[in-house]
Amino acid sequence: MSLHTTLRAMPTLLRVGFAEAVAYRAEMFIWVLSTTLPLVNMVLWMAVARTAPVGRFGQADFVGYFLATFVVRQLTSVWVAWVINWEVRQGTLAMRLLRPISPLWAYAAENVAGFPMRLLVAVPVMVLSVVLVGSKAVPQHAWQWGFFVLAVLGGWAITLLVNIAIGALSFFLGSSLKVMEVWLVLFFVCSGYMYPVELLPAGLRTLINWLPFRYQIGLPVELMTGAHDWREALVLLGAQWTWVALLGVLTVVLWKQGVKRFAAFGG
């Protein structure tokens, strides 16, 4: 399969993916309800900051941070690991492998096609954040918006690649959903999803900076709320996209080795 074939197929894949997102909009609504944990954390941390700020965070800052976390979560979520596990176990992956385009591109296109539906949720929450917190709830300058968009794309790419890599482990393990559960636990602890990473002790924060979790959620949220100047943001974006490159190589290697072990029978 060539790059030309992939580019020609991409509009069709996006149209089909969007049609599926619209058809299963009720399922998406239920999924959105399942990702409201940042709103719960927001209330808890507001209570903690009622008498005095926590670090640089007062009550309004926690409102801005966790509404931004909710928005970024909507834009960067991926569930491909579950899809791959199901398709490998059922043998339906064989249909994807017969198509003249890599399943990896197909998984990415199906996920991207759901972005318009996700924006329907994310944009009103961003507007609400501005109403409650003021203009500092969103980037103030053009370069901050540009860095924020790059960070969201990087966070989405890391999440997608990790999902595919863990999903590809099902070729070797039979099912890799337990591995995904372990990853999600680490994600909740280290990504900034439950609390701002900067509130952690310095040693633990340094360790987290070397791991990919913060770059899935924490960095886009920090850039949305103006936590870094452009030099710091550039360094962190460089670290984020380095992870994208490393995970990209790992994912392709795992997938190619895994597909060699795949076999499906019946009709």
Side-chain angles (χ1 to χ4, degrees):
M1 61 202 74
S2 65
L3 178 61
H4 178 68
T5 302
T6 302
L7 292 176
R8 285 187 58 189
M10 196 56 68
T12 301
L13 290 173
L14 292 173
R15 282 197 297 272
V16 171
F18 180 72
E20 288 180 350
V22 172
Y24 294 105
R25 55 189 180 278
E27 183 180 81
M28 181 179 173
F29 177 70
I30 293 172
W31 173 77
V32 168
L33 292 179
S34 71
T35 59
T36 54
L37 185 59
L39 306 182
V40 177
N41 290 330
M42 179 181 72
V43 175
L44 294 176
W45 282 98
M46 285 176 64
V48 173
R50 180 177 301 161
T51 55
V54 181
R56 66 176 180 86
F57 288 88
Q59 286 187 309
D61 299 308
F62 278 123
V63 172
Y65 181 89
F66 284 110
L67 288 181
T69 302
F70 181 83
V71 169
V72 172
R73 176 73 163 152
Q74 305 309 312
L75 299 178
T76 60
S77 289
V78 178
W79 45 84
V80 172
W82 288 269
V83 176
I84 294 174
N85 268 270
W86 190 85
E87 292 184 346
V88 170
R89 289 172 65 87
Q90 298 297 319
T92 54
L93 180 66
M95 297 301 295
R96 288 188 185 270
L97 295 174
L98 290 174
R99 297 170 185 167
I101 182 173
S102 169
L104 303 187
W105 286 112
Y107 291 134
E110 290 168 6
N111 198 263
V112 168
F115 266 49
M117 298 293 289
R118 302 183 193 196
L119 287 173
L120 290 177
V121 177
V123 171
V125 175
M126 290 181 72
V127 173
L128 175 64
S129 184
V130 173
V131 171
L132 295 176
V133 181
S135 60
K136 68 178 182 179
V138 294
Q140 301 293 297
H141 306 287
W143 70 266
Q144 290 177 320
W145 277 107
F147 280 18
F148 169 66
V149 171
L150 279 175
V152 169
L153 289 174
W156 171 80
I158 289 175
T159 308
L160 175 71
L161 292 169
V162 166
N163 264 257
I164 295 176
I166 293 178
L169 291 178
S170 63
F171 290 119
F172 306 93
L173 304 176
S175 172
S176 59
L177 292 181
K178 293 298 181 185
V179 180
M180 194 65 205
E181 290 177 9
V182 172
W183 176 274
L184 286 176
V185 169
L186 294 172
F187 166 80
F188 287 132
V189 173
C190 303
S191 68
Y193 188 65
M194 305 286 289
Y195 38 74
V197 171
E198 64 185 88
L199 298 182
L200 296 173
L204 185 55
R205 194 166 62 243
T206 301
L207 173 63
I208 287 176
N209 285 341
W210 286 95
L211 301 174
F213 307 103
R214 178 187 181 186
Y215 304 108
Q216 291 182 262
I217 290 284
L219 179 60
V221 170
E222 293 160 14
L223 294 181
M224 182 173 170
T225 54
H228 303 293
D229 60 33
W230 72 271
R231 290 180 186 276
E232 293 173 331
L234 201 58
V235 171
L236 290 167
L237 279 173
Q240 182 192 47
W241 282 91
T242 300
W243 269 111
V244 173
L246 292 174
L247 288 168
V249 173
L250 174 65
T251 298
V252 170
V253 171
L254 274 175
W255 180 263
K256 288 185 175 179
Q257 293 302 314
V259 167
K260 292 178 182 177
R261 302 169 59 92
F262 176 72
F265 304 92

